[in-house]
Amino acid sequence: MQNQWNLNDHVKSILQKSNHLNHLKQLQSHLITLGHSQTHFYAFKLLRFCSISLSNLHYARLIFNHLTSPNIYLYTAMITAYASHPHTHANAIQLYRNLLRQSSPKPNQFIYPHVLKSCMGQRGTDLLHAQILKSGFGQYPVVETALVDSYSRSLGNVGSARKVFDEMSERNVVSFTAMVSGYARAGDVESAVRLFDEIPVRDVPSWNALIAGCTQNGFFSEGIKLFRKMVVVGLEERYRCNKPNQVTVVCALSACGHTGMLQLGKWIHGYVYKNGFVVDSFISNALVDMYGKCGSLKQARKVFETNPDKGLTSWNSMINSFALHGQSDCAIAMFDEMMKFGGDVRPDEVTFIGLLNACTHGGLVEKGYYYFEMMVRKFRIEPQISHYGCLIDLLGRAGRFDEAMEVVKGMSMEPDEVIWGSLLNGCKVYGRTDLAELAAKKLVEIDPHNGGYGAMLANVYGELRKWDEVRNVWRTLKEQKSYKIPGCSWIEVDDQVQQFYSLDKSNPKTEELYSVLESLIGFRNEVKIEPYSLIT
């Protein structure tokens, strides 16, 4: 027994010092010579180290395949390894099927969450749900929580997820968080907030699930309010464990970037240092993105330069920040610097969207063509709809409509609203009413209930003096009760985000706002002011 304990300690010690596959192979050879080639305990240690520390799933599977009778813990370890990587989910399902074909071992409650994580679509989840109920593990909280998560990932099937959640024998903060995430994933932020308020005892992941959900669905102000609330709650003695972590900070910085809340973004930057966060690439990239979107390009560059581990995301953030604010030369110079940087950094589709946007803002047509060709020919990146949109916008702004239409005809996918919208904007500038009519018609075909597109088409017909068509368009819009998405903008006042919506009179200070706007413009009698309202 003493020798066994010594060997266990020896194996543990070697694995702690190992960082290469050859080290693992040497230990494996040593165990084989000692007659432990089929010992489950050591096989489990080797498999876990290979899959987690070395991320070598191929060799981990070789270890598993050479076991004559792996137990359920080894099956679970291998399936967990596959489930941890999106591109190997099919391997996890296949191995689970192999397990079912054998009489022994039998699945247990710990293997199902990892298999569910690998399920593709609702049908797969339904089939596994039936097997779980048949095996008698349907009432285990860990399995029920995994079912909630799996259903909510199945194309937003939040209804089935909620049904499982409501029928759970025992709910805890993990199951509540899974359901909140499900609602957020489906875009139902209102239901996510309501359920979050019902959580008896919240933890950091539950806060993060809702804050991330708000940010990802465009509810930036709500996400920021939740972040502020979480900071205040975390200061209370009994809720110290609920202080924001790295994920919270990144979500809050994203919301700040989208709303232009530079002062709050700076405060979060200080909060990161004050609270001892490790400023890794994850936080550094979020800071660069926030400063860049808020227009503080010098600060964005400063954070970028202090990042010792500049990955592709870091470079893309800087290129897109310069492009967003019309600094085309700086964006291109940043790309050139990235290409000289070398290493594993290689441009991707996001890089070229930034470059094409930079060329658009700078009117650099030939440069835009050059980067588009470079993307396709040199880096073998298949153009996406966003790349075509950038190129057509670039050509439209330059008045090169024949070339723009050639690009549209040569696309490998159907043009979307961005494509036709970009073409229409260029046509307005250069008076190409013929193409403007085509673009406006296409926009109406794509979204016939969008009143904004209908109004654009009516205006084009008006310029062409096609008055019958103008009347027909307005009649159709009225009959369909078409809507027009109101314009919206944000402003930061006293560390609070204020939202302005066009044609909204719901704010009690509406009259005061109109008065200020009219006094600023100075043409109260001559100019009809379109009403705006402040939504706090």
Side-chain angles (χ1 to χ4, degrees):
M1 180 63 71
Q2 185 64 39
N3 291 336
Q4 186 68 47
W5 281 112
N6 290 340
L7 180 58
N8 293 350
D9 291 340
H10 181 61
V11 169
K12 183 179 178 181
S13 175
I14 291 177
L15 289 176
Q16 287 175 342
K17 299 174 184 176
S18 300
N19 56 15
H20 196 276
L21 182 60
N22 287 337
H23 300 157
L24 179 73
K25 289 181 177 180
Q26 291 174 17
L27 176 59
Q28 187 180 14
S29 300
H30 179 59
L31 290 170
I32 291 172
T33 59
L34 293 176
H36 288 293
S37 62
Q38 297 296 317
T39 302
H40 289 166
F41 177 81
Y42 299 122
F44 181 85
K45 291 284 186 184
L46 295 175
L47 193 154
R48 290 279 288 175
F49 177 80
C50 190
S51 61
I52 296 176
S53 299
L54 300 181
S55 297
N56 191 329
L57 301 190
H58 174 72
Y59 197 79
R61 184 59 186 265
L62 288 178
I63 295 172
F64 180 87
N65 287 344
H66 280 83
L67 296 168
T68 54
S69 57
N71 60 18
I72 190 59
Y73 301 106
L74 285 158
Y75 268 100
T76 303
M78 195 66 242
I79 289 175
T80 301
Y82 282 138
S84 300
H85 300 271
H87 63 279
T88 55
H89 281 180
N91 301 76
I93 298 297
Q94 187 59 51
L95 186 57
Y96 171 71
R97 287 173 178 165
N98 294 346
L99 171 63
L100 294 182
R101 293 189 187 104
Q102 301 175 26
S103 58
S104 179
K106 296 290 185 183
N108 62 13
Q109 70 269 31
F110 300 111
I111 202 169
Y112 286 119
H114 304 290
V115 182
L116 283 164
K117 185 179 179 181
S118 303
C119 277
M120 304 295 181
Q122 183 177 346
R123 185 172 179 274
T125 304
D126 283 338
L127 289 171
L128 189 54
H129 192 178
Q131 292 172 2
I132 289 169
L133 295 174
K134 186 177 179 180
S135 64
F137 292 107
Q139 298 296 309
Y140 282 72
V142 65
V143 178
E144 291 173 313
T145 301
L147 278 167
V148 170
D149 181 67
S150 185
Y151 272 123
S152 66
R153 290 178 187 275
S154 304
L155 300 177
N157 188 7
V158 74
S160 296
R162 184 59 194 249
K163 187 174 185 296
V164 174
F165 178 80
D166 288 339
E167 295 174 353
M168 286 185 68
S169 55
E170 177 187 334
R171 298 193 194 102
N172 55 27
V173 67
V174 180
S175 53
F176 269 98
T177 301
M179 194 64 243
V180 168
S181 297
Y183 278 128
R185 205 174 289 121
D188 189 353
V189 176
E190 185 179 341
S191 295
V193 171
R194 279 201 306 266
L195 188 62
F196 177 81
D197 290 337
E198 295 177 19
I199 302 177
V201 181
R202 299 163 188 158
D203 60 4
V204 174
S206 62
W207 282 96
N208 287 349
L210 188 58
I211 293 172
C214 289
T215 304
Q216 290 161 5
N217 285 285
F219 291 82
F220 305 118
S221 298
E222 289 77 3
I224 288 170
K225 288 176 184 177
L226 281 164
F227 172 75
R228 291 178 184 275
K229 185 176 179 181
M230 185 180 180
V231 171
V232 172
V233 169
L235 294 175
E236 296 182 32
E237 188 67 37
R238 55 178 176 162
Y239 295 125
R240 283 288 174 86
C241 58
N242 277 352
K243 291 176 65 176
N245 65 3
Q246 184 188 53
V247 175
T248 326
V249 165
V250 169
C251 290
L253 287 171
S254 177
C256 289
H258 280 94
T259 54
M261 290 194 68
L262 179 59
Q263 295 308 313
L264 179 60
K266 287 181 176 179
W267 183 88
I268 295 173
H269 193 175
Y271 180 86
V272 164
Y273 284 102
K274 184 178 178 181
N275 288 271
F277 282 78
V278 176
V279 184
D280 56 8
S281 291
F282 194 46
I283 289 182
S284 177
N285 292 338
L287 286 167
V288 169
D289 183 68
M290 182 275 296
Y291 279 122
K293 284 190 171 108
C294 290
S296 184
L297 299 178
K298 287 185 178 180
Q299 189 62 34
R301 184 64 190 257
K302 184 177 179 181
V303 175
F304 171 81
E305 294 296 348
T306 57
N307 182 6
D309 185 23
K310 295 182 181 68
L312 179 59
T313 303
S314 306
W315 292 97
N316 283 348
S317 293
M318 280 307 310
I319 292 170
N320 279 283
S321 293
F322 284 127
L324 178 67
H325 295 281
Q327 297 196 19
S328 307
D329 293 340
C330 292
I332 292 170
M334 182 61 67
F335 175 73
D336 293 338
E337 188 179 335
M338 184 187 85
M339 296 303 292
K340 294 176 184 177
F341 185 77
D344 296 330
V345 178
R346 176 186 173 88
D348 65 357
E349 58 274 6
V350 178
T351 314
F352 286 100
I353 288 174
L355 284 171
L356 290 170
N357 275 327
C359 293
T360 298
H361 288 298
L364 308 174
V365 178
E366 301 308 322
K367 202 77 172 174
Y369 268 129
Y370 169 74
Y371 286 126
F372 193 88
E373 290 295 317
M374 175 192 288
M375 175 183 73
V376 176
R377 298 185 184 280
K378 182 176 180 180
F379 294 101
R380 306 294 179 187
I381 297 172
E382 186 72 23
Q384 299 173 6
I385 194 78
S386 50
H387 298 109
Y388 286 116
C390 291
L391 185 58
I392 290 166
D393 190 24
L394 172 62
L395 294 170
R397 292 190 188 204
R400 294 163 69 162
F401 296 106
D402 291 340
E403 294 172 60
M405 287 306 297
E406 285 300 316
V407 173
V408 172
K409 293 174 183 176
M411 287 171 55
S412 57
M413 70 283 290
E414 284 294 316
D416 65 356
E417 295 170 81
V418 175
I419 299 293
W420 293 117
S422 298
L423 194 63
L424 179 60
N425 289 332
C427 291
K428 287 179 180 178
V429 174
Y430 289 92
R432 284 292 300 268
T433 51
D434 55 335
L435 279 179
E437 181 181 0
L438 171 65
K441 281 183 176 179
K442 291 292 184 181
L443 287 169
V444 172
E445 286 176 15
I446 293 172
D447 190 357
H449 293 285
N450 189 319
Y453 294 156
M456 290 179 187
L457 181 58
N459 290 337
V460 172
Y461 282 141
E463 292 177 17
L464 294 170
R465 298 185 178 276
K466 296 181 178 181
W467 306 117
D468 289 338
E469 282 84 349
V470 171
R471 283 189 287 272
N472 288 336
V473 171
W474 285 117
R475 186 185 304 114
T476 302
L477 291 175
K478 186 176 181 180
E479 291 172 353
Q480 292 181 343
K481 297 181 180 179
S482 299
Y483 62 90
K484 182 179 180 182
I485 300 172
C488 177
S489 60
W490 291 270
I491 187 171
E492 184 180 6
V493 180
D494 296 330
D495 294 333
Q496 295 290 329
V497 174
Q498 314 291 345
Q499 286 180 295
F500 293 86
Y501 285 95
S502 175
L503 302 174
D504 189 339
K505 299 181 180 180
S506 61
N507 192 272
K509 294 185 178 180
T510 297
E511 294 298 326
E512 183 181 342
L513 288 167
Y514 291 167
S515 176
V516 172
L517 283 172
E518 289 168 352
S519 65
L520 288 172
I521 296 174
F523 297 106
R524 181 170 184 170
N525 297 322
E526 290 83 8
V527 180
K528 181 181 178 182
I529 299 175
E530 184 177 5
Y532 285 83
S533 178
L534 187 64
I535 312 286
T536 56

